[in-house]
Amino acid sequence: MNPTAPGADLPEHPDFLWDNPEPKRSYDVVVVGGGGHGLATAYYLAKVHGITNVAVLEKGWLAGGNMARNTTIIRSNYLWDESSGIYEHSLKLWEGLEEDLGYPILFSQRGVLNLAHSLQDVRDSVRRVEANKLNGIDAEWVDAAGVREICPIVNTLPDVRYPVLGATYQPRAGIAKHDYVAWGFARAAAALGVDLIQDCEVTGIESTAGRVTAVNTTRGRIGAGKVALCAAGHSSVVAKMAGFDLPLVSHPLQALVSELLEPVHPTVVMSNAVHVYVSQAHKGELVMGAGIDSYAGYGQRGAFHIIEDQMAAALELFPVFARAHLLRTWAGIVDVTPDASPIVGLTPVENLYVNCGWGTGGFKATPGVGDCFAHTVAKGKPHPYAEPFTLDRFTTGALVDEHGAAAVAH
Amino acid sequence: MQLIPCPWCGPREETEFHYGGQAHVAYPQDPAALSDEDWAKFVFFRANPSGPLPERWTHSAGCRRWFNAVRDTRTHDLLAVYRLDEPRPVIP
Ligand SMILES: Cc1cc2nc3c(=O)[nH]c(=O)nc-3n(C[C@H](O)[C@H](O)[C@H](O)COP(=O)(O)OP(=O)(O)OC[C@H]3O[C@@H](n4cnc5c(N)ncnc54)[C@H](O)[C@@H]3O)c2cc1C
Ligand SMILES: [Zn+2]
């Protein structure tokens, strides 16, 4: 690797990316939540379905929620066919997204290693690799020597508490620059006529005869033909406004970065067992995430002992990090479902659609779910890739249990 | 990290405790009478308010007893701590 100045490969920002219009009295579709999912949904509504009388309402600033707080890992190596469908669809869209949006997103397909630390981990990992292959997803099982070859700084000595026995490897996985992804979608959606409205909190949802008619906001009442909820951590709160419950618990999820370092870490490494995942950002920081904080929370902060555990795990796996300084820590709020899979689709209220429950892993889904959710909203029925992720699977029992492949404790 | 006041041991560090989710979720009185929707509610749906939430904690590294607390999920402040046989206190 050639040492380059930190940030050398980051592009210049244009000074102006989207308008800040006043909200109109009504829209064909109102999207609640201006994170990556809301922006992508609006973009595909306009681009694929020609529905451009659309507003994205964001209570804070655009993409300031989980979109700005995640560790940007993108992969599609989930276990079940249902998940493979939607995550691999997304990964394929990622591969052409920069061109599609006409905006740099710094998608770097540097691969991901999901480490195995016990015989059971090994068996589960190999099973997942085989399942991935059957679904046409690139996946390999590599042993400890293979891990060392791909990422030489991983400690593969056998004398640690949780020795690295091997890993699943997905070469097409990687990271992208989350802010740029949001800005790219925002810019492209705005260019197609979508109104992006910040500082606009949805405080109520009106319906007549079981059909949604408007949203109330801190900037007045806005009529809506259809409403699409993309409120990530706050999905339960927003759904309650429309009179129904979701099987979700919102938790703080923390991450942190080190100071800038020269390139030392060529891939993405995740460990489900010791709860840390690490990559090196384009600028040079080590970016690390942990498991969720155990209790429910909306405070966008978590407990310090989670960070301590995460650092202990990171140091055992990467002794070379011992002298790196921690620069900052933060938390997002993630909405977690009982089966660690998302909820995408129709709701008990007509013309009101929900996209939520992506928990700790929805960034990778951004273009895929934007496309599938836009289809669902435009047609009034689920996109085939979204079909398994209905709300009523909790009644029918057709769960898509992805705890094993979600890769973060939750 | 915050101090949690165990009703028996007094304030101790959060790391001594284990979270048990929403409190006052009673097992159905007449399970055979439940519809699939009712079972789904019982098994999968929990209160998830942005605000006060009654929940269960156990002092796992201390007296190992369970107790209930009302905690504000926005601030993490413990508004009340009470024993399992006590009713949920009214929070003003
Ligand atoms: C620390 C951390 C690490 C993560 N790491 C990864 C990772 O490596 N890979 C991965 O795939 N995923 C990861 N995730 C998960 C991922 O970030 C989320 O699943 C995904 O961002 C959720 O979709 P979103 O982008 O639309 O959410 P958000 O960006 O949270 O968008 C929701 C928006 O809705 C707004 N909103 C809420 N209520 C209202 C209201 N009433 N009115 C108006 N607006 C409202 C919020 O302000 C917010 O901007 C991580 C998350 C966190 C917190
Ligand atoms: Zn005690």
Side-chain angles (χ1 to χ4, degrees):
Chain A
M1 272 179 286
N2 286 325
T4 50
D9 52 355
L10 298 183
E12 295 291 322
H13 299 302
D15 357 311
F16 172 81
L17 291 171
W18 59 81
D19 290 322
N20 276 308
E22 282 301 310
K24 292 194 276 191
R25 297 285 302 274
S26 74
Y27 291 91
D28 294 341
V29 180
V30 166
V31 178
V32 180
H37 289 202
L39 293 167
T41 301
Y43 170 67
Y44 290 110
L45 273 172
K47 187 193 145 190
V48 179
H49 304 280
I51 302 174
T52 55
N53 186 21
V54 175
V56 178
L57 309 182
E58 166 55 48
K59 72 172 175 178
W61 67 96
L62 219 58
N66 294 313
M67 190 60 177
R69 294 161 196 269
N70 68 68
T71 50
T72 79
I73 299 167
I74 295 165
R75 59 192 177 88
S76 65
N77 55 353
Y78 283 70
L79 177 65
W80 300 107
D81 296 353
E82 294 87 341
S83 320
S84 295
I86 196 160
Y87 288 109
E88 178 61 16
H89 175 57
S90 196
L91 183 48
K92 289 196 175 114
L93 288 175
W94 279 112
E95 286 173 324
L97 196 59
E98 191 154 308
E99 224 165 90
D100 186 28
L101 296 177
Y103 193 76
I105 57 162
L106 279 72
F107 181 40
S108 161
Q109 290 180 288
R110 57 183 66 185
V112 65
L113 289 166
N114 290 85
L115 302 180
H117 301 274
S118 68
L119 183 57
Q120 188 59 41
D121 274 0
V122 171
R123 289 172 174 159
D124 290 343
S125 302
V126 171
R127 176 184 177 211
R128 185 144 57 84
V129 164
E130 297 305 333
N132 290 159
K133 285 186 190 160
L134 288 172
N135 279 315
I137 292 169
D138 58 320
E140 289 166 43
W141 166 255
V142 295
D143 60 12
V147 170
R148 212 159 42 235
E149 208 169 289
I150 295 164
C151 191
I153 57 173
V154 175
N155 180 10
T156 50
L157 294 175
D159 61 348
V160 294
R161 182 158 178 208
Y162 299 105
V164 173
L165 302 182
T168 67
Y169 183 52
Q170 183 178 23
R172 283 164 63 242
I175 58 171
K177 194 131 172 70
H178 47 9
D179 296 334
Y180 289 26
V181 175
W183 300 340
F185 273 116
R187 179 170 169 265
L192 291 169
V194 171
D195 281 359
L196 307 176
I197 299 164
Q198 308 183 65
D199 258 323
C200 182
E201 180 169 358
V202 171
T203 53
I205 297 178
E206 290 179 16
S207 52
T208 311
R211 172 186 281 224
V212 75
T213 50
V215 295
N216 294 303
T217 79
T218 46
R219 294 175 70 175
R221 180 180 186 277
I222 301 176
K226 295 181 174 187
V227 174
L229 304 180
C230 292
H234 285 80
S235 314
S236 300
V237 176
V238 178
K240 247 205 155 59
M241 294 174 192
F244 63 94
D245 292 319
L246 292 166
L248 295 173
V249 178
S250 297
H251 292 265
L253 177 65
Q254 303 191 66
L256 56 87
V257 293
S258 74
E259 63 198 311
L260 304 186
L261 302 170
E262 291 197 356
V264 288
H265 188 324
T267 183
V268 181
V269 173
M270 311 182 68
S271 170
N272 208 353
V274 301
H275 304 319
V276 70
Y277 39 102
V278 189
S279 66
Q280 187 165 17
H282 295 83
K283 221 165 39 168
E285 309 101 316
L286 298 169
V287 181
M288 302 191 204
I292 54 171
D293 280 56
S294 66
Y295 41 73
Y298 285 88
Q300 285 185 331
R301 69 185 164 83
F304 192 72
H305 67 264
I306 304 287
I307 295 172
E308 257 184 318
D309 288 350
Q310 175 190 358
M311 289 296 86
L315 275 193
E316 196 167 275
L317 283 177
F318 301 96
V320 65
F321 295 170
R323 296 172 69 171
H325 291 103
L326 176 73
L327 207 61
R328 60 201 155 80
T329 77
W330 65 88
I333 311 167
V334 297
D335 48 3
V336 173
T337 59
D339 62 354
S341 283
I343 301 169
V344 184
L346 279 53
T347 71
V349 180
E350 206 179 325
N351 290 352
L352 176 71
Y353 304 91
V354 70
N355 162 52
C356 65
W358 292 89
T360 62
F363 174 69
K364 62 180 68 65
T366 303
V369 72
D371 184 37
C372 295
F373 196 42
H375 176 109
T376 304
V377 172
K379 312 264 184 216
K381 62 172 199 277
H383 185 284
Y385 286 135
E387 201 147 22
F389 301 105
T390 56
L391 182 52
D392 69 6
R393 75 175 184 273
F394 298 97
T395 306
T396 62
L399 304 183
V400 186
D401 186 356
E402 283 292 359
H403 282 281
V408 176
H410 69 213
Chain B
M1 185 119 45
Q2 62 176 350
L3 292 176
I4 296 180
C6 171
W8 291 279
C9 310
R12 297 295 175 90
E13 284 197 3
E14 182 182 336
T15 49
E16 294 188 11
F17 296 84
H18 197 90
Y19 184 61
Q22 188 189 349
H24 311 297
V25 181
Y27 189 77
Q29 293 253 321
D30 183 5
L34 257 51
S35 66
D36 288 353
E37 283 75 20
D38 294 335
W39 274 120
K41 291 272 171 216
F42 172 67
V43 176
F44 296 123
F45 286 68
R46 292 292 175 268
N48 189 27
S50 174
L53 171 69
E55 58 192 16
R56 301 181 306 167
W57 289 85
T58 175
H59 190 187
S60 36
C63 64
R64 301 176 61 193
R65 283 196 264 194
W66 284 91
F67 59 92
N68 288 338
V70 177
R71 189 178 52 95
D72 190 318
T73 61
R74 293 164 299 190
T75 58
H76 300 190
D77 287 344
L78 290 153
L79 306 175
V81 168
Y82 54 107
R83 295 200 319 251
L84 298 182
D85 56 0
E86 292 174 328
R88 176 183 171 174
V90 178
I91 308 286

